[in-house]
Amino acid sequence: MSLECLSSQRSFGGWHKRYRHRAASLGCDMVFAVYLPPQAEMGLPLPVVYWLSGLTCTDENFMQKAGAHRVAAELGVILVAPDTSPRGEDVPGDPDGAWDFGLGAGFYVNATEAPWAEHYRMYDYVVDELPALIEANFPASDQRGISGHSMGGHGALICALKNPGRYRSVSAFSPICHPMDCPWGEKALSRYLGPDRAAWRAWDATALIADAPERLPMLIDQGAADGFLAEQLKPEALQVAAEAVGHPLTLRMQPGYDHSYYFIASFIESHLRHHAQAMAVSVAIR
């Protein structure tokens, strides 16, 4: 598959690069960012952490604001950040121009309803197409971790819960834990999947956890001063569901922190070390 390099910058001894390619699962061109740590130049396969961003974001938010390159360079971990939705002239957005649905708000599901079903298959893209592309074109192993923020935290949790053995680790910042029971989730799921709420359960981490075929430990950081906490995020629902079935979940409520990338930048190092430990990555000496 052809990759067009859009930009390339040196960072902490490695390279931050942005690429465009034609995504078969989405029927449009997509852009993703990849950080290749210094160890990538040795040609040995390295583990990959996939980062899923939140509403309105693109691949650029995490790479520019999270401060993750330094730790990834130390650990020898590749970082990959896709866009948050399909894009292009033929891709429909919210008819009212709202920011919380459509372009920039793919919700990491496979849509079944017109007109969304033709392009909005972010789940297939994130779980299958993008990793295959990364592993075919970069020195990437099949050791994968997945993380994300807000809508992307929701995406990370469902991708891990629905795919036993595919990921070695999972974490999230301020995830939408129970989209069936919050305004953002109800809006997105009802349009992408239709009015039958039973179909929504396959895309809700709180609903999925009871029957998850793998008990992959979850690490979640949540800002206690997050303005979206009570109405949209609902980590307590996921915690109750996890405790009911003994699913390992570390939920850390961080006093004073909000929903911003200041919060993510403050704790991204511990998340990357969580992934590195799960993927048995030795700390590299630069």
Side-chain angles (χ1 to χ4, degrees):
M1 185 177 295
S2 176
L3 289 177
E4 177 189 0
C5 185
L6 301 177
S7 63
S8 181
Q9 293 88 26
R10 198 76 164 154
S11 179
F12 290 95
W15 290 94
H16 168 259
K17 298 175 180 282
R18 299 183 74 226
Y19 290 91
R20 179 163 48 222
H21 73 108
R22 187 71 180 177
S25 55
L26 304 174
C28 67
D29 288 345
M30 287 292 284
V31 173
F32 68 87
V34 58
Y35 176 68
L36 301 169
Q39 297 85 344
E41 296 181 4
M42 300 171 60
L44 298 176
L46 300 175
V48 184
V49 173
Y50 291 87
W51 174 269
L52 308 183
S53 290
L55 290 164
T56 75
C57 292
T58 68
D59 64 283
E60 295 184 282
N61 296 75
F62 174 74
M63 291 297 194
Q64 293 182 5
K65 297 178 180 180
H69 288 182
R70 176 186 62 81
V71 183
E74 176 188 331
L75 297 172
V77 172
I78 295 172
L79 303 176
V80 175
D83 202 346
T84 52
S85 79
R87 304 202 189 245
E89 293 182 359
D90 297 330
V91 177
D94 188 281
D96 300 319
W99 59 271
D100 58 353
F101 182 79
L103 301 179
F107 256 83
Y108 304 102
V109 303
N110 283 343
T112 57
E113 299 295 299
W116 321 109
E118 182 179 356
H119 296 287
Y120 284 82
R121 303 186 64 82
M122 285 297 295
Y123 174 80
D124 280 354
Y125 179 70
V126 166
V127 172
D128 295 316
E129 185 172 1
L130 183 60
L133 185 69
I134 296 298
E135 290 163 24
N137 289 276
F138 301 97
S141 74
D142 62 358
Q143 292 190 82
R144 310 176 194 95
I146 191 164
S147 186
H149 172 229
S150 195
M151 177 186 72
H154 143 76
L157 296 180
I158 65 169
C159 287
L161 288 167
K162 290 164 70 70
N163 293 278
R166 185 150 187 83
Y167 302 99
R168 298 288 185 93
S169 54
V170 59
S171 74
F173 289 82
S174 312
I176 301 173
C177 293
H178 197 12
M180 292 179 63
D181 190 33
C182 76
W184 282 341
E186 290 179 341
K187 179 177 181 178
L189 298 181
S190 64
R191 295 187 180 186
Y192 289 138
L193 306 175
D196 182 5
R197 295 180 67 91
W200 302 2
R201 294 182 60 83
W203 307 100
D204 184 305
T206 298
L208 285 169
I209 205 165
D211 298 318
E214 178 185 39
R215 295 300 176 199
L216 190 66
M218 294 177 175
L219 171 63
I220 294 177
D221 271 310
Q222 171 63 59
D226 190 326
F228 300 117
L229 176 57
E231 183 179 27
Q232 303 283 9
L233 306 179
K234 306 193 177 221
E236 70 284 352
L238 183 66
Q239 186 172 40
V240 168
E243 290 174 352
V245 294
H247 193 109
L249 167 63
T250 300
L251 173 60
R252 305 189 301 201
M253 299 298 297
Q254 304 292 358
Y257 286 90
D258 60 14
H259 201 69
S260 71
Y261 264 85
Y262 296 111
F263 166 52
I264 295 169
S266 298
F267 297 99
I268 191 62
E269 180 169 350
S270 66
H271 280 243
L272 290 180
R273 293 191 183 280
H274 160 78
H275 290 281
Q277 182 177 13
M279 294 186 288
V281 179
S282 297
V283 174
I285 299 175
R286 291 194 292 144

